Amino acid sequence: MDTGTLTDRERAILHAVAAGRAELLVSCAPDLRIDGGWCDHTAVTRLVLDGWIRPVRPAAAGELVPAQLTDAAAGALGGRCRRSA
């Protein structure tokens, strides 16, 4: 994972996920809500497909669940984001 390829928007999304403020709508085209508002779909899709964020637990398609950083993302960010529990 290369943090140098992240946009400012993607970094902001990752910080919100790490702070426990995000919910992931599980589907083949995932969506993410932060503080109740929907995020940039393109950025979220990239972050999910590239392995930066995931649901906190397995979920059925269409289910809205809390989001978290993946272990690889937390390592790549090197403590610049606090990972949610």
Side-chain angles (χ1 to χ4, degrees):
M1 301 190 129
D2 180 10
T3 59
T5 64
L6 295 171
T7 66
D8 289 341
R9 180 172 290 173
E10 290 166 339
R11 288 179 189 278
I13 290 170
L14 291 173
H15 282 281
V17 170
R21 298 173 28 223
E23 297 174 291
L24 189 64
L25 179 64
V26 177
S27 75
C28 60
D31 278 315
L32 190 78
R33 284 192 333 188
I34 295 176
D35 300 332
W38 294 104
C39 295
D40 176 316
H41 181 73
T42 302
V44 170
T45 299
R46 178 178 173 224
L47 292 171
V48 171
L49 294 179
D50 288 353
W52 291 91
I53 58 177
R54 66 178 177 215
V56 296
R57 61 175 171 74
E63 191 173 350
L64 190 62
V65 296
Q68 68 180 10
L69 296 178
T70 64
D71 294 336
L77 293 167
R80 289 179 290 228
C81 284
R82 179 181 52 83
R83 185 163 176 213
S84 59

